[in-house]
Amino acid sequence: MKSIAAPPLTKIPNYINGRWQESFAAEWQDVINPATGEVLARVPLSDTSEATKAIETAAAAFPSWRRTPPEDRIQPLFKLKQLLEEHINELARTITLENGKTLTEAKAELRRAIENVEVACGIPMMMQGYNLEDVARGIDETMIRQPLGVVATITPFNFPGMIPFWFLPYAIACGNTLVVKPSERVPLTMLRAFELLEQTGIPKGVVNLVNGGKAAVDALLDHPKVRAISFVGSTPVAKYIYARAGANGKRAQCQGGAKNHVIILPDADMTMATQIISDSAFGCAGQRCLAVSVAVTVGEAQKTFRDAITEAAASLKVGNGLEEGVQMGPVITTQSKTRIESLIDRGVNDGAKLLLDGRDSKISGGENGNFVKPTVLDAVPANSDLTDTEIFGPVLSLVHATSLDEALAFLDRSAYGNQASLFTSSGAAARRFRYEAPAGNIGINIGVAAPMAYFPFSGWKGSFFGVQHAQGRDAVEFYTEKKVVIERWAADHSRKF
Ligand code: NAD
């Protein structure tokens, strides 16, 4: 996929200091439509010097931007919301072209992106500090929040439109200046989003876009002017970024991978549970960090759920996400397809029973696409690799437990803690699950427990490294530094010296 030769196709530019600039990267990569194999464009793997230019630009823009009143800083966001609404169909199409998910799924992620812009428009309220008069006679104390300076965002391939907006609106509304490094596999969506951002009249240098991979990321991690890093991606990279940012004295919030469990109790509404879990496991071709990957049935739920979910999965229409009626698109790359299929092989070799086999799928018109059809594996042995490996594809493993205690033990053993869900009609079981489940996002009769923009997108254990999460109030905490001011002015009332 990489070549040193000059790219023949559309070259994706960087956006630095309010100007679109052709990269002088030595290495370029194809951006490929996963449904057709067609090369859509060429993305530069920008090197340290280009990332450094973006950082220096953002640093130069910071003094003026931080002095811009918060009320003025949110005006470009109001315009951005309007532009995102007006261009939602076109943006969704771009997401589908480069990521493969269906148009409906692409629009849904853009709705969450817009919601984050809306919430960040409340920064003049959300960024306020607090104060108390007379902490001692005639002495007042105030906590104010100030922006950090230059901050950076590094994002994954699976939500090209939404995840950058978990960070961007809050970072800039709080008065920081920003460098965004999107996934090199899906750079077209941010290219278009930045064209819209440019139309808002936001001052030069406040937002910058650098396309690339590891070299650009490392430059952001090492540059002393970058104060904070927001990362979303796989756990090994999240750990690396958290460690390197920390060693360089930066604050970091790093969201990692997942292996999400759903527990189905015998008293669950089985029709509803099946539909919702099917959407969670196979929607976005299983490439959601909140996708259910292991279904734990308790007691009598085993047989009813096993038959129902296999039937629901088999009925899904798989194909090009641009086509009407398609419910599931391809996975992102041919390498990803190969990896997913080999994990299914491994599960079967370990003794799991294949109820539905999505390997070697034949999709009419999708011969060059990376299609894996929905796959259901039953009785995955506890010692199988599949039990706690993030597959990131349309594969659901079924395991069985005799009680809620035993089912919860599966979650305890997992290295991840992004999401856990329970399907039940028992309030007591739901309360216990909410209390004990070791995960950051909990669903009760919910398949994809994705927090609204005004709640933090949580995550525990190997799914998150840091303290403050993405979105809402956590984002304001993350992108501001607290300063406490203690003042004595009223000599009359003060202690006499
Ligand atoms: P990835 O880790 O491969 O890449 C994420 C970003 O890191 C990209 O911008 C990439 O260029 C950069 N990167 C990759 N390798 C790097 C390296 N060695 N050094 C520095 N930077 C590097 O992730 P992906 O495949 O794009 O996304 C899928 C993963 O993201 C899954 O594991 C999924 O669970 C996770 N994810 C997590 C959440 C969450 O909220 N926890 C949300 C979405 C996706």
Side-chain angles (χ1 to χ4, degrees):
M1 282 217 312
K2 287 179 193 171
S3 78
I4 309 289
L9 271 150
T10 309
K11 297 173 179 175
I12 297 177
N14 292 326
Y15 184 74
I16 299 173
N17 204 18
R19 281 197 308 118
W20 291 101
Q21 309 187 8
E22 187 175 314
S23 171
F24 39 83
E27 279 192 290
W28 292 71
Q29 195 168 296
D30 291 343
V31 181
I32 297 172
N33 180 337
T36 61
E38 176 201 358
V39 179
L40 300 167
R42 304 271 286 154
V43 64
L45 299 183
S46 302
D47 65 11
T48 310
S49 63
E50 275 176 285
T52 303
K53 205 167 142 201
I55 297 163
E56 300 288 352
T57 290
F62 176 66
S64 161
W65 185 241
R66 75 157 284 199
R67 283 177 170 74
T68 304
E71 182 58 30
D72 295 345
R73 291 201 300 253
I74 60 172
Q75 296 311 313
L77 292 180
F78 282 110
K79 290 193 188 128
L80 181 63
K81 174 200 154 54
Q82 197 56 42
L83 287 163
L84 290 171
E85 297 277 7
E86 281 166 25
H87 293 272
I88 193 162
N89 289 331
E90 170 206 340
L91 280 161
R93 197 181 146 77
T94 304
I95 292 174
T96 299
L97 279 175
E98 65 179 356
N99 170 281
K101 64 179 67 177
T102 67
L103 279 175
T104 309
E105 291 166 341
K107 266 187 215 165
E109 73 162 286
L110 288 165
R111 289 250 61 92
R112 180 57 47 80
I114 292 169
E115 196 181 288
N116 273 288
V117 174
E118 290 167 351
V119 173
C121 286
I123 286 294
M125 289 284 288
M126 291 166 77
M127 198 179 159
Q128 290 177 12
Y130 47 83
N131 56 54
L132 186 69
E133 287 184 336
D134 291 319
V135 291
R137 273 183 165 276
I139 297 183
D140 305 331
E141 193 159 329
T142 307
M143 188 282 278
I144 53 181
R145 288 181 195 280
Q146 296 190 333
L148 303 172
V150 180
V151 297
T153 296
I154 300 150
T155 53
F157 80 83
N158 63 332
F159 284 94
M162 174 183 77
I163 291 181
F165 284 93
W166 280 357
F167 308 108
L168 182 149
Y170 305 98
I172 59 175
C174 286
N176 303 283
T177 52
L178 177 71
V179 180
V180 176
K181 204 300 287 171
S183 166
E184 63 275 38
R185 284 180 272 178
V186 291
L188 293 166
T189 306
M190 269 307 106
L191 169 69
R192 189 67 190 117
F194 266 69
E195 285 171 357
L196 299 178
L197 257 169
E198 190 180 28
Q199 290 175 32
T200 66
I202 194 160
K204 285 194 300 191
V206 173
V207 287
N208 303 276
L209 179 68
V210 175
N211 288 292
K214 182 167 168 49
V217 171
D218 286 348
L220 295 168
L221 292 172
D222 290 344
H223 199 293
K225 285 190 179 146
V226 175
R227 297 286 318 283
I229 302 279
S230 301
F231 170 85
V232 183
S234 58
T235 291
V237 183
K239 276 186 181 166
Y240 163 75
I241 288 186
Y242 193 61
R244 191 151 167 175
N248 287 329
K250 303 180 197 313
R251 60 173 73 173
Q253 47 178 193
C254 298
Q255 311 206 196
K259 185 80 181 176
N260 302 308
H261 294 74
V262 58
I263 297 175
I264 303 121
L265 296 185
D267 65 5
D269 175 336
M270 216 48 83
T271 309
M272 176 179 83
T274 304
Q275 280 314 312
I276 292 175
I277 295 169
S278 169
D279 176 58
S280 174
F282 307 116
C284 297
Q287 300 172 117
R288 274 196 283 233
C289 66
L290 297 180
V292 160
S293 174
V294 182
V296 189
T297 48
V298 175
E300 294 144 33
Q302 183 180 23
K303 182 164 177 352
T304 30
F305 181 73
R306 185 178 55 199
D307 294 348
I309 193 74
T310 308
E311 197 183 318
S315 75
L316 289 172
K317 184 167 181 209
V318 181
N320 188 325
L322 290 179
E323 283 169 23
E324 190 80 30
V326 164
Q327 293 164 296
M328 195 189 103
V331 297
I332 188 72
T333 54
T334 50
Q335 293 89 331
S336 179
K337 174 179 157 79
T338 306
R339 178 181 167 274
I340 293 163
E341 293 188 336
S342 71
L343 280 166
I344 300 170
D345 294 343
R346 236 191 291 169
V348 173
N349 290 338
D350 289 346
K353 193 173 156 209
L354 257 179
L355 298 181
L356 188 65
D357 186 359
R359 294 171 296 180
D360 300 321
S361 305
K362 303 279 173 285
I363 304 289
S364 159
E367 290 71 20
N368 297 321
N370 316 316
F371 291 98
V372 182
K373 281 192 175 170
T375 298
V376 182
L377 288 159
D378 193 17
V380 178
N383 62 355
S384 166
D385 266 359
L386 236 59
T387 306
D388 209 33
T389 301
E390 180 179 44
I391 301 175
F392 225 53
V395 181
L396 181 66
S397 300
L398 307 184
V399 291
H400 185 61
T402 52
S403 63
L404 180 55
D405 284 321
E406 203 184 310
L408 278 165
F410 279 105
L411 279 62
D412 278 330
R413 283 197 291 272
S414 174
Y416 299 102
N418 219 32
Q419 175 190 285
S421 298
L422 177 74
F423 281 75
T424 184
S425 53
S426 155
R431 203 274 175 183
R432 178 171 172 212
F433 182 78
R434 191 177 83 174
Y435 197 83
E436 292 183 15
N441 302 296
I442 299 294
I444 309 281
N445 298 318
I446 298 284
V448 181
M452 301 291 284
Y454 30 88
F455 284 92
F457 194 104
S458 191
W460 285 17
K461 299 203 268 183
S463 298
F464 181 71
F465 306 91
V467 178
Q468 307 297 341
H469 296 273
Q471 302 194 143
R473 290 179 215 169
D474 268 34
V476 178
E477 282 287 337
F478 184 76
Y479 288 125
T480 57
E481 200 149 42
K482 295 189 191 82
K483 186 181 266 183
V484 177
V485 184
I486 306 175
E487 294 175 88
R488 183 203 314 272
W489 290 106
D492 290 354
H493 303 290
S494 184
R495 172 159 73 95
K496 300 288 177 249
F497 293 95

